[in-house]
Amino acid sequence: MNTRKATAALALVTAMALGASACGGSKSSSGGSGKKDDALTQIVNKSDKKGGTVTLEDSDVPDSLDPGNTYYGWVQNFSRLYARTLLTFKPAPGKDGLTVVPDLATGLGTPSADAKTWTYHLRTGVKFQDGSPVTSKDVKYAIERSNFAPDVMSNGPKYFAAYLQGGDKYQGPYKDKSANGLASIETPDPQTIVFHLNRPFADFDYLATFSQTSPVQQSKDTGSTYVQHIQSTGPYMFQSYAEGKEAVLVRNPQWSKATDPVRTALPDKYDIKFKILQKTIDNNLLADNITVDSAGTGVDSSSQSKILGNPKRLANTDDAIAGATSYMAMNLHVAPFDNVNCRIAVQYAVDKKSVVEAEGGAVKGDAASTLLPPSVNGYTKFDEYPTPNNAGDVAKAKEYLSKCGKPNGFHTTLTARTDRQTEVDGATAIQAALKKVGIIVDIKTFPAGKYFSNYAGVPDYVHSHNIGLMMMAWGADWPTGYGFLDQIVDGSAIKPSGGNNLMELNDPAINKALADAISNTDAAARTKAWGDIDKMVMKNASVVPLIYRKNLLYRPPSATNVTVAEAYLGMYDYLLIGSTK
């Protein structure tokens, strides 16, 4: 592709366009979409009008729209339309959107003094779409199915399994047919649920925001096919679902605003289409044919020039900090990356400057030196493997290649996601940089929807196909160091499939440091610990941080109530967004 040619002039184009963007003043809901970056701090194109259809497109498919079987950030955001959770993030602009508020629950969790027992009380009057009342047993069952049946529910984190008493022995509801299920989740009455943990967990309220706490009726659950007939508890339910093609949501007549202080539910309908080329999605946004790109990762690098050189279009953009880091994982069980000196050689060989340029330049982020991004609690600025201007250091790379017994380099494979052209472009830049030191890289691409469940997140596949390097991007499960680090560096996060610890890092010292820190009820001590753990990971050298991510989002004029959701990786908030169409 000619991406690099397109990005070479971006600095000048951006400077000119930013100056011109001052011409685009804020307008009311009857007209434009505000000024550049307005949606970072306010709600743009406000409207209280009911009606309209929000249209979304995605370049691939979700891991799953089943709220108990997903780990995609955009699905966590989108699923709030049909799947209510114990708690949620407040739909609000700026830092206010990081506030955890009650959803199904009447308030935040009540912890015991040692933070090992957490109690929630559910609202009365909440119903499934079939009219059945939502009870605490439905929330309990939802957590049991999502966390304790990895052979059925392979996607999503397993925090509950790791922290609930007896979680290491419970087989999940599909194998364990006992009436009581997991004893450490108590439901003393229909409106109360109590979690008994095996150790203190100071961030537990954040777990209660996960879609895994969205209630599921055991009588309606069909395991992996439940996605075909999800029973809604939110203001919208599925009118139709064609896997891999399209889903249509319409109003749920059983939803009551009286029981839901969070959702405005203004649109009549949501229509999301899958497997649409990213270039087509970008063109449809620019033509105002759709409301939003559901993936929320911003326009493709090849589309940026159409925006940055056009003051009118630039006024409708938000360069959102994603709270995410793009990085390259090195698998510790694939030779020669089982040798730390080979890993350090790669650290020095990678030209991060060229990766940033390949992926779209400064509007897509800055060169990274740490795993934690600057926006996450616990970030500490350091660089374990500095190179001049972040452009790599051939001499240092060759020094460590000699130390690892590979002075002439070696062959390996690097994976990336087929439908994410910027990621492929970044991989290509890495391929060129490594070639300079004798490391020959074959790039293999896989669809984003199956990247973790079938390929990069499956250790057996990675080992048998000699995949040493994997492109990866990660945002915090919640905005603390633990919420960012645990699922990608803790050994307990390694799974047979659908895992995100692509390095298969299982360092006892790192595992212990994570467990000790989250058990500490001293907030300042926890914050310091996250930065210390980041340094431990970087000394292991199995992660090459590439970019602190930004998303160049475009909001078409027909989009209403648009604001960036900081809690959902810098994409737009799908609980608020509407359409005049």
Side-chain angles (χ1 to χ4, degrees):
M1 283 192 64
N2 63 352
T3 304
R4 292 183 192 172
K5 293 180 181 178
T7 58
L10 284 184
L12 177 61
V13 173
T14 303
M16 296 171 60
L18 287 174
S21 69
C23 301
S26 297
K27 298 181 181 180
S28 68
S29 60
S30 61
S33 296
K35 295 182 293 185
K36 185 182 186 301
D37 291 338
D38 267 1
L40 301 182
T41 57
Q42 58 188 282
I43 297 176
V44 176
N45 210 5
K46 281 188 177 180
S47 174
D48 58 5
K49 184 179 179 181
K50 293 186 71 172
T53 297
V54 173
T55 52
L56 308 93
E57 290 182 342
D58 191 85
S59 61
D60 198 64
V61 296
D63 51 356
S64 178
L65 292 181
D66 180 339
N69 194 29
T70 180
Y71 211 160
Y72 278 22
W74 77 260
V75 182
Q76 292 285 329
N77 186 358
F78 182 74
S79 68
R80 294 180 298 159
L81 296 166
Y82 55 87
R84 295 183 63 181
T85 48
L86 285 174
L87 306 177
T88 192
F89 288 98
K90 184 178 182 180
K95 298 298 181 186
D96 202 24
L98 295 174
T99 305
V100 175
V101 296
D103 189 356
L104 281 177
T106 58
L108 300 183
T110 303
S112 59
D114 61 1
K116 288 177 65 176
T117 301
W118 290 77
T119 302
Y120 297 86
H121 299 284
L122 273 61
R123 301 178 192 277
T124 58
V126 181
K127 299 178 181 179
F128 289 99
Q129 68 186 59
D130 66 359
S132 303
V134 170
T135 72
S136 55
K137 288 187 182 299
D138 299 317
V139 177
K140 172 183 166 78
Y141 179 75
I143 293 168
E144 290 172 343
R145 72 186 286 270
S146 64
N147 274 256
F148 298 95
D151 53 331
V152 181
M153 303 284 151
S154 61
N155 303 314
K158 306 301 178 188
Y159 292 112
F160 288 101
Y163 279 90
L164 285 165
Q165 290 179 12
D168 57 334
K169 297 181 176 64
Y170 179 57
Q171 296 297 305
Y174 305 123
K175 294 180 179 178
D176 183 340
K177 300 298 183 179
S178 63
N180 293 328
L182 183 61
S184 55
I185 307 179
E186 288 187 314
T187 53
D189 61 64
Q191 308 308 128
T192 304
I193 187 165
V194 184
F195 299 94
H196 297 278
L197 310 184
N198 53 33
R199 55 194 185 276
F201 193 87
D203 280 359
F204 196 83
D205 269 341
Y206 286 113
L207 293 194
T209 69
F210 268 93
S211 61
Q212 294 175 334
T213 69
S214 178
V216 174
Q217 300 152 291
Q218 186 168 7
S219 62
K220 298 288 180 70
D221 183 25
T222 57
S224 60
T225 62
Y226 180 69
V227 69
Q228 302 284 349
H229 53 266
I230 294 167
Q231 297 299 294
S232 170
T233 52
Y236 301 94
M237 62 183 189
F238 285 85
Q239 181 185 69
S240 61
Y241 174 73
E243 188 162 359
K245 295 180 180 179
E246 182 179 20
V248 177
L249 303 180
V250 295
R251 291 191 182 278
N252 173 11
Q254 296 295 335
W255 176 79
S256 170
K257 176 61 182 170
T259 71
D260 192 339
V262 176
R263 295 160 180 79
T264 55
L266 293 175
D268 285 334
K269 190 176 183 181
Y270 289 79
D271 188 338
I272 180 168
K273 291 182 172 63
F274 305 118
K275 301 292 287 185
I276 308 297
L277 289 174
Q278 186 62 51
K279 187 176 294 186
T280 302
I281 294 174
D282 293 348
N283 288 336
N284 282 338
L285 281 171
L286 297 178
D288 203 358
N289 292 330
I290 62 172
T291 314
V292 68
D293 175 356
S294 66
T297 54
V299 298
D300 193 70
S301 56
S302 61
S303 301
Q304 287 178 194
S305 59
K306 299 176 183 177
I307 296 171
L308 299 179
N310 184 319
K312 186 175 180 181
R313 285 177 171 170
L314 188 67
N316 284 12
T317 63
D318 301 287
D319 201 15
I321 294 173
T325 303
S326 292
Y327 61 91
M328 182 173 69
M330 290 182 262
N331 190 283
L332 297 169
H333 298 280
V334 175
F337 302 109
D338 51 353
N339 184 312
V340 66
N341 289 313
C342 285
R343 301 197 298 271
I344 293 175
V346 172
Q347 296 279 354
Y348 283 115
V350 171
D351 179 350
K352 297 178 184 179
K353 182 181 178 183
S354 71
V355 175
V356 172
E357 291 172 351
E359 294 204 14
V363 295
K364 298 306 288 285
D366 302 314
S369 62
T370 62
L371 191 51
L372 285 178
S375 59
V376 170
N377 170 266
Y379 163 79
T380 303
K381 186 177 181 180
F382 67 94
D383 192 346
E384 196 71 31
Y385 311 100
T387 66
N389 200 28
N390 291 308
D393 188 326
V394 170
K396 290 287 284 185
K398 288 186 175 180
E399 174 190 339
Y400 278 91
L401 280 174
S402 293
K403 288 182 178 180
C404 82
K406 300 284 185 180
N408 298 318
F410 52 85
H411 283 75
T412 192
T413 297
L414 170 61
T415 66
R417 283 167 278 198
T418 308
D419 55 300
R420 298 191 179 186
Q421 188 58 49
T422 54
E423 187 169 276
V424 176
D425 292 340
T428 303
I430 291 171
Q431 180 187 50
L434 296 187
K435 186 177 181 180
K436 294 178 182 178
V437 301
I439 301 174
I440 306 305
V441 174
D442 296 322
I443 297 175
K444 291 187 177 181
T445 62
F446 303 103
K450 301 295 182 183
Y451 190 67
F452 300 102
S453 61
N454 289 28
Y455 305 107
V458 183
D460 285 349
Y461 185 90
V462 170
H463 303 164
S464 63
H465 288 78
N466 201 38
I467 296 172
L469 306 172
M470 287 160 279
M471 296 295 281
M472 177 66 165
W474 189 254
D477 284 350
W478 58 85
T480 72
Y482 189 89
F484 189 97
L485 293 169
D486 180 69
Q487 291 294 298
I488 56 174
V489 304
D490 194 320
S492 66
I494 299 170
K495 300 193 295 186
S497 67
N500 296 284
N501 183 344
L502 302 189
M503 301 81 65
E504 293 183 62
L505 177 59
N506 190 13
D507 185 316
I510 292 173
N511 298 344
K512 184 177 186 302
L514 281 163
D516 289 348
I518 197 59
S519 298
N520 195 329
T521 55
D522 183 328
R526 288 200 306 275
T527 297
K528 180 182 182 302
W530 310 139
D532 293 342
I533 294 168
D534 196 1
K535 290 178 182 177
M536 294 170 71
V537 174
M538 291 311 304
K539 284 184 181 297
N540 176 272
S542 57
V543 172
V544 182
L546 299 172
I547 303 174
Y548 299 129
R549 292 271 300 274
K550 288 185 178 180
N551 300 328
L552 185 63
L553 306 176
Y554 184 83
R555 42 182 151 83
S558 64
T560 61
N561 297 320
V562 186
T563 196
V564 169
E566 289 200 24
Y568 293 98
L569 310 181
M571 65 187 76
Y572 290 134
D573 194 317
Y574 299 154
L575 273 194
L576 289 177
I577 200 165
S579 175
T580 59
K581 293 187 175 181

